[in-house]
Amino acid sequence: QVQLVESGGGLVQAGGSLRLSCAASGSIFSINAMGWYRQAPGKQRELVAAITSGGSTNYADSVKGRFTISRDNAKNTVYLQMNSLKPEDTAVYYCKLRITTAQVVRDFWGQGTQVTVSS
């Protein structure tokens, strides 16, 4: 079994910062791509940032220059540092990890963490 636990969400004023974490545990052979997605009320889930096993990153245009994704392979953890937050960043944030176990290679999702940015 594989479990993902997210943390770090909360309420912050515009211009503030938050750091999200997503830690994976269980029967993990390796973790390939890692990513953060978000879903605002009434909107589709969208990719925020992603990082490959080699460390290459890509970001949604709306967060470039403000958000930074990173990973700690020893801890099976991905982070999202969010700076200069705006009210439009308000959403539930989900991590997604492509994990290889003894049986399969598949995507696992975190439970979601709420980020609310007040104006």
Side-chain angles (χ1 to χ4, degrees), residues 27-109:
S27 301
I28 298 170
F29 180 74
S30 65
I31 301 178
N32 307 310
M34 296 175 160
W36 287 96
Y37 292 72
R38 67 187 180 188
Q39 187 166 18
K43 295 187 177 182
Q44 290 188 333
R45 191 172 297 188
E46 62 175 357
L47 174 67
V48 175
I51 184 167
T52 68
S53 57
S56 297
T57 59
N58 68 284
Y59 297 90
D61 288 343
S62 59
V63 307
K64 282 181 181 177
R66 301 188 297 122
F67 290 10
T68 301
I69 189 171
S70 61
R71 62 190 288 167
D72 185 333
N73 293 326
K75 296 181 178 180
N76 289 337
T77 299
V78 60
Y79 304 96
L80 185 68
Q81 178 66 44
M82 305 185 292
N83 299 328
S84 302
L85 283 160
K86 304 175 180 180
E88 50 264 43
D89 294 318
T90 295
V92 178
Y93 284 70
Y94 299 90
C95 61
K96 185 181 81 170
L97 277 58
R98 177 152 294 179
I99 295 175
T100 300
T101 70
Q103 293 81 30
V104 297
V105 179
R106 53 159 283 202
D107 292 330
F108 291 82
W109 288 88

Side-chain angles (χ1 to χ4, degrees), residues 15-26:
S17 298
L18 285 173
R19 188 192 194 208
L20 305 183
S21 299
C22 174
S25 62

